[in-house]
Amino acid sequence: MNYNPPIIKMKKFVSFLLLSFVVYALQAQIKDPVKFKTELNTLSDTEAEIVFTATIDNGWHVYSTELGDGGPISATFNVDKKSGLELAGKLKPVGKEVATFDKLFEMKVRYFENTAKFIQKVKLTGGAYEIEGYLEYGACDDESCLPPTEVPFKFSGVAKAASAAVAKTEQPEKKEPEKKEEPAPVSAEVKDTAAMMELVPATPVDAATDVQSAVSSSELWKPVISDLQALGEEHGQEDMSWIYIFITGFLGGLIALFTPCVWPIIPMTVSFFLKRSKDKKKGIRDAWTYGASIVVIYVVLGLAITLIFGASALNALSTNAIFNILFFLMLVIFAASFFGAFEIRLPSKWGNAVDSKAESTTGLLSIFLMAFTLSLVSFSCTGPIIGFLLVQVSTTGSVVAPAIGMLGFAIALALPFTLFALFPSWLKSMPKSGGWMNVIKVTLGFLELAFALKFLSVADLAYGWRLLDRETFLALWIVIFALLGFYLLGKIKFPHDDDDNKVGVTRFFLALVSLAFAVYMVPGLWGAPLKAVSAFAPPMQTQDFNLYKNDVHAKFDDYDLGMEYARLNGKPVMLDFTGYGCVNCRKMEAAVWTDPKVSDLINNDYVLITLYVDNKTPLSEPVKIVENGTERTLRTVGDKWSYLQRVKFGANAQPFYVLLDNQGKPVNKSYAYNEDIPKYIEFLQTGLENYKKGK
């Protein structure tokens, strides 16, 4: 087999995954090409086997086990919980395997057609046994692939090799699990409220508390969407307005405009349009068309991303550890490139192919292809900006948010092409490319390095690693922005910088701002709120040394336990649905919760329960629920709280604040992101008054 560098293999693997997701988004909902049957066969008193038998549609194939890294999805056996037995060996594929060399992965793969069988042997240790988990597999046809798919299983019983004492109690042992499992089987007719009732007993908190709740857990989890609407709830809350998203995208486009990848192309492109047509009006019209094509390309890209992955998937992805670490590494690599370590370029043949096609084509198609060429050749500069923008807007939970952000980005990018076409004389006064552009590029490198820490912080918080606490994060930011200030003053040189030691007025003021910002963050090392960086820095509770006392801390991070505490103390509850990766959540905590009146109300008059929807801590055991007729498995604490927010309150964006009485009923309409302190105080006071009236 020919050797391929890891980076080439990774590109092919990423391409395969993107293709798989595209096809899955469009087709998988109406296709079910593989059907599995599971069974437990007892071989002896001490041995048994779990058998997965698949029926595969014509044209499809299911991949075998242990295919290696960088290849398709291998079949794997996964256990969520087990007792009274041990696994014996690995998952074994049985049947006629097809072995072939796959050109896409550049490796040998093995798969099954028409039918497949996988067997996992287990050793029974005696007495009652139970095992629950899932088989994960990958399936493809000649045109498309399914994403990793799970086949759940659950088996229990009593081994014949049990002792006489165990054998005597065999009958009640078998009956008891059957009683527990009676509500577990679900069908499409089971409603979400019933699924909630099943969910609550699985929480470790219920077992940990000796207090007998006066209100059943099922009542606390009942949907209250109609109650919120009766209180004046507005349908569909977003944590970012569309105007804000558009402006953010527009500012990102302006930054990209002044990079070495885009700025030199402006006069060349405009001159091309004006010279290629004898009719000046037609040249201007073509330039307008060119600008519009840029907008269309980026907006379609934004829509495609949400249609492929889905808004909720992007939200989940934004706090995924692997994704955030990869994005952290990508930004660090881009920063090193901007500092002059190396150049990042897309394959030249891509741009050349599109460019040659544009030259051989006439009319609107030619103009569109030229715009597409611009998008490709400017990727090294625009890629990090676009990526950061999409990650930020993904937390809205809106399908159109990425498209709106890309619209703002594209308009800013296309604006100069149309303006210079309308006023070609401006081209003469346009600043020439030179050393100033490298200054912008290096400055962007520093900013990318700073933002890279944000993504590492999200992964760190979601998984509880505690590698990048607030003071560590701030210390790194202080150093980065101090170095940026020294660079702008000419005290630090990079490989592509000019030897000119003169510092312009603009650079001086930018250096002043950067150094002042670094000094501003210093008190944060001792707990100062630092409202200007609250959206990026880790939460205050990660601070090891904190001299600031006027802050708000949640009494509970568990819904059921917090509700019972509030009932016993006769106080209403403030539920705070938040996320470690939620930018606007940190803004609210720093800008609103630090107000003395707000903090006094929350700390003294309410029981604050903070629920992180991206908490990756595994549940004591996975919980199966039915939502909108579809069975899902909740595996993490964050999954559980996200489910609570969706089904009980009909919301999925963060921050999301809702005030409840001791029966789990709302006492005021919910509150989303809004830094209006008087409005937030009114929200809290109204809820408190309604709670007292209802007692």
Side-chain angles (χ1 to χ4, degrees), residues 256-267 430-433 436-437:
L257 187 63
F258 292 98
T259 60
C261 310
V262 180
W263 187 261
I265 301 176
I266 298 175
M430 181 178 171
K432 304 298 181 184
S433 302
W436 64 275
M437 297 196 72

Side-chain angles (χ1 to χ4, degrees), residues 292-367:
S293 298
I294 295 173
V295 174
V296 169
I297 288 169
Y298 282 104
V299 170
V300 169
L301 176 62
L303 285 172
I305 287 171
T306 47
L307 289 174
I308 294 170
F309 295 101
S312 59
L314 280 176
N315 193 4
L317 195 64
S318 67
T319 56
N320 179 272
I322 297 175
F323 171 80
N324 278 278
I325 291 173
L326 287 176
F327 212 87
F328 161 75
L329 293 173
M330 186 194 78
L331 287 179
V332 170
I333 291 170
F334 270 99
S337 174
F338 284 11
F339 291 152
F342 46 83
E343 288 291 330
I344 298 177
R345 300 181 185 273
L346 287 175
S348 58
K349 62 180 181 180
W350 290 12
N352 294 336
V354 178
D355 196 36
S356 61
K357 188 68 176 176
E359 291 180 359
S360 63
T361 312
T362 58
L364 295 177
L365 181 58
S366 172
I367 298 172

Side-chain angles (χ1 to χ4, degrees), residues 166-489:
V166 175
K168 289 180 182 180
T169 60
E170 182 178 8
Q171 198 63 25
E173 286 280 340
K174 291 180 74 174
K175 287 182 179 179
E176 193 173 346
E178 287 177 3
K179 289 180 180 180
K180 289 182 180 180
E181 290 177 10
E182 280 179 8
V186 292
S187 65
E189 299 177 356
V190 180
K191 295 185 177 180
D192 297 333
T193 48
M196 283 184 182
M197 298 176 191
E198 294 178 16
L199 176 65
V200 177
T203 64
V205 174
D206 294 335
T209 179
D210 296 327
V211 181
Q212 183 64 41
S213 177
V215 184
S216 69
S217 294
S218 60
E219 286 295 316
L220 293 177
W221 283 68
K222 276 182 69 176
V224 293
I225 300 171
S226 58
D227 300 82
L228 286 170
Q229 291 173 346
L231 291 167
E233 181 79 3
E234 296 179 1
H235 181 71
Q237 301 221 27
E238 305 288 342
D239 68 342
M240 288 186 190
S241 70
W242 287 0
I243 296 175
Y244 176 82
I245 294 171
F246 178 84
I247 293 173
T248 303
F250 188 84
L251 292 175
L254 288 180
I255 294 173
L257 187 63
F258 292 98
T259 60
C261 310
V262 180
W263 187 261
I265 301 176
I266 298 175
M268 179 179 65
T269 306
V270 174
S271 299
F272 171 77
F273 283 121
L274 294 177
K275 290 178 181 178
R276 85 168 193 166
S277 176
K278 296 180 181 179
D279 186 357
K280 185 178 178 181
K281 291 184 178 179
K282 187 177 184 302
I284 293 173
R285 189 167 61 249
D286 287 347
W288 273 102
T289 306
Y290 182 75
S293 298
I294 295 173
V295 174
V296 169
I297 288 169
Y298 282 104
V299 170
V300 169
L301 176 62
L303 285 172
I305 287 171
T306 47
L307 289 174
I308 294 170
F309 295 101
S312 59
L314 280 176
N315 193 4
L317 195 64
S318 67
T319 56
N320 179 272
I322 297 175
F323 171 80
N324 278 278
I325 291 173
L326 287 176
F327 212 87
F328 161 75
L329 293 173
M330 186 194 78
L331 287 179
V332 170
I333 291 170
F334 270 99
S337 174
F338 284 11
F339 291 152
F342 46 83
E343 288 291 330
I344 298 177
R345 300 181 185 273
L346 287 175
S348 58
K349 62 180 181 180
W350 290 12
N352 294 336
V354 178
D355 196 36
S356 61
K357 188 68 176 176
E359 291 180 359
S360 63
T361 312
T362 58
L364 295 177
L365 181 58
S366 172
I367 298 172
F368 182 84
L369 290 172
M370 286 190 65
F372 195 70
T373 303
L374 169 69
S375 305
L376 288 177
V377 300
S378 62
F379 172 78
S380 62
C381 294
T382 60
I385 301 172
I386 293 172
F388 185 78
L389 171 66
L390 291 174
V391 171
Q392 290 300 106
V393 302
S394 68
T395 57
T396 62
S398 170
V399 175
V400 297
I404 293 173
M406 295 296 274
L407 176 64
F409 179 89
I411 288 176
L413 203 62
L415 199 59
F417 293 96
T418 52
L419 288 178
F420 284 120
L422 288 171
F423 308 100
S425 59
W426 290 4
L427 289 172
K428 296 179 180 179
S429 59
M430 181 178 171
K432 304 298 181 184
S433 302
W436 64 275
M437 297 196 72
N438 192 67
V439 173
I440 293 177
K441 196 172 181 179
V442 172
T443 302
L444 285 176
F446 276 107
L447 295 177
E448 286 179 351
L449 202 58
F451 287 131
L453 294 175
K454 167 64 178 174
F455 292 98
L456 181 61
S457 173
V458 170
D460 179 62
L461 290 167
Y463 286 83
W465 298 331
R466 299 298 302 267
L467 301 174
L468 201 63
D469 288 348
R470 187 173 184 267
E471 64 267 35
T472 307
F473 182 95
L474 291 175
L476 290 170
W477 265 40
I478 291 169
V479 173
I480 288 171
F481 283 95
L483 290 174
L484 173 58
F486 290 132
Y487 168 77
L488 292 171
L489 290 174

Side-chain angles (χ1 to χ4, degrees), residues 536-552:
F536 305 99
M540 190 69 75
Q541 59 262 32
T542 65
Q543 186 99 15
D544 294 324
F545 184 63
N546 188 359
L547 299 177
Y548 188 76
K549 302 299 181 185
N550 194 32
D551 57 345
V552 176

Side-chain angles (χ1 to χ4, degrees), residues 45-48 81-87 122-131 157-161:
D45 292 345
T46 58
E47 286 185 324
K81 68 174 183 179
K82 61 181 176 72
S83 61
L85 52 78
E86 298 292 337
L87 301 183
V122 295
K123 182 180 179 182
L124 306 177
T125 57
Y129 65 84
E130 183 181 11
I131 184 169
V158 178
K160 294 181 180 179

Side-chain angles (χ1 to χ4, degrees), residues 70-84:
I73 305 299
S74 302
T76 57
F77 185 83
N78 304 273
V79 178
D80 291 327
K81 68 174 183 179
K82 61 181 176 72
S83 61

